[in-house]
């Protein structure tokens, strides 16, 4: 199935690229990096929503914006909430090496946390420790500790990122997908809650994050 999907994406990209080369209204500077896009396969975010992002840009002359950023800035006022929080918990279907590096919701929240901490530092305001907990369905990355716990995934030392995964250790993948609510409840009660209760947020020095 994956090979068929990939072949379909390659085919539609070829068609879109022909459109970009022949239509003067597209193939112009986009709102992402101000570079002319002539190959949809190289455009940042083009593969989002199964390729709809790239298609809308090329065929409807739409602008691209990460959905996480729209929710963060327009609906949630996330920056204000982050400034008032010591612990932030979010969810993700699959947590892997791309989760923090690219524009997924987790990455957007993480960047907002770093932005808030940098702003406080520039103003000379004492830093409050920030703990970022990600509860996910499937984890693929560095070794896990215990049935669901993923040790700190911080990539810069400023924010402590800890993950908890339903699969592959805590529950079989099939159970995690078909009995998600029960699996989540069990993991939160047995793993996440004890971790948060034992985490010394108030006393942990900023140098530890």
């Amino acid at each position: 199935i994956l090979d068929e999907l990939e072949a379909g994406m390659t085919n539609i990209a070829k068609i879109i690229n022909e459109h970009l080369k022949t239509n003067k209204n597209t193939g112009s500077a986009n709102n992402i990096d101000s570079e002319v896009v002539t190959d949809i396969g190289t455009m940042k975010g083009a593969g989002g929503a199964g390729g709809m992002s790239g298609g809308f840009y090329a065929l409807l002359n739409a602008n691209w914006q990460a959905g996480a950023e729209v929710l963060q800035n327009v609906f949630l006022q996330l920056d204000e909430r982050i400034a008032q929080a010591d612990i932030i918990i979010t969810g993700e279907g699959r947590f892997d090496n791309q989760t923090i590096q690219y524009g997924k919701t987790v990455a957007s929240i993480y960047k907002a946390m770093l932005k808030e901490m940098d702003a406080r530092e520039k103003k000379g305001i004492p830093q409050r420790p920030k703990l970022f907990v990600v509860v996910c369905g499937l984890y693929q990355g560095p070794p896990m500790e215990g049935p669901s716990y993923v040790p700190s995934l911080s990539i810069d030392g400023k924010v402590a990122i800890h993950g908890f995964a339903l699969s592959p250790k805590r529950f079989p993948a099939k159970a995690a997908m078909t009995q998600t609510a029960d699996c989540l409840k069990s993991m939160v009660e047995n793993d996440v809650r004890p971790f948060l209760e034992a985490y010394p947020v108030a006393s942990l020095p900023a140098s530890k994050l």
Side-chain angles (χ1 to χ4, degrees):
I1 295 178
L2 291 178
D3 290 340
E4 293 180 8
L5 290 174
E6 185 67 24
M9 292 286 284
T10 300
N11 184 55
I12 192 64
K14 180 180 179 180
I15 296 173
I16 289 175
N17 286 340
E18 289 299 321
H19 176 81
L20 287 173
K21 293 176 182 178
T22 58
N23 192 319
K24 295 181 180 181
N25 293 325
T26 55
S28 56
N30 64 75
N31 68 322
I32 302 174
D33 51 21
S34 299
E35 295 181 0
V36 174
V37 175
T38 57
D39 182 357
I40 203 68
T42 65
M43 175 183 166
K44 178 182 177 181
M52 289 181 63
S53 294
F56 274 36
Y57 167 80
L59 304 177
L60 301 179
N61 204 26
N63 289 326
W64 184 92
Q65 187 173 0
E69 294 178 2
V70 175
L71 289 174
Q72 173 183 324
N73 298 326
V74 178
F75 297 104
L76 300 179
Q77 291 80 48
L78 193 61
D79 290 344
E80 298 177 10
R81 295 173 183 267
I82 286 176
Q84 300 172 8
D86 291 315
I87 300 174
I88 296 174
I89 304 173
T90 189
E92 182 71 27
R94 183 177 72 178
F95 196 108
D96 54 30
N97 294 331
Q98 298 184 2
T99 302
I100 297 297
Q101 298 177 19
Y102 297 96
K104 295 185 177 182
T105 301
V106 171
S108 181
I109 296 174
Y110 175 69
K111 290 177 181 178
M113 294 174 72
L114 291 180
K115 178 181 176 182
E116 194 269 336
M117 293 186 71
D118 289 341
R120 292 174 66 87
E121 184 177 5
K122 290 179 180 179
K123 294 178 181 179
I125 302 174
Q127 295 279 15
R128 290 195 302 173
K130 297 287 186 182
L131 171 62
F132 189 21
V133 176
V134 181
V135 178
C136 64
L138 175 65
Y139 172 77
Q140 294 179 325
M144 301 175 67
E145 293 181 3
S148 70
Y149 175 60
V150 181
S152 179
L153 297 167
S154 178
I155 60 176
D156 56 21
K158 290 186 177 181
V159 176
I161 309 174
H162 294 268
F164 291 86
L166 295 178
S167 183
K169 285 190 175 183
R170 169 57 81 177
F171 300 101
K174 184 176 181 180
M177 290 187 290
T178 60
Q179 304 171 44
T180 308
D182 291 337
C183 290
L184 275 173
K185 182 178 179 180
S186 175
M187 187 175 72
V188 168
E189 289 296 328
N190 293 292
D191 301 332
V192 182
R193 184 186 296 276
F195 170 81
L196 293 177
E197 291 176 344
Y199 201 91
V201 174
S203 61
L204 187 65
S207 62
K208 293 292 184 180
L209 295 181

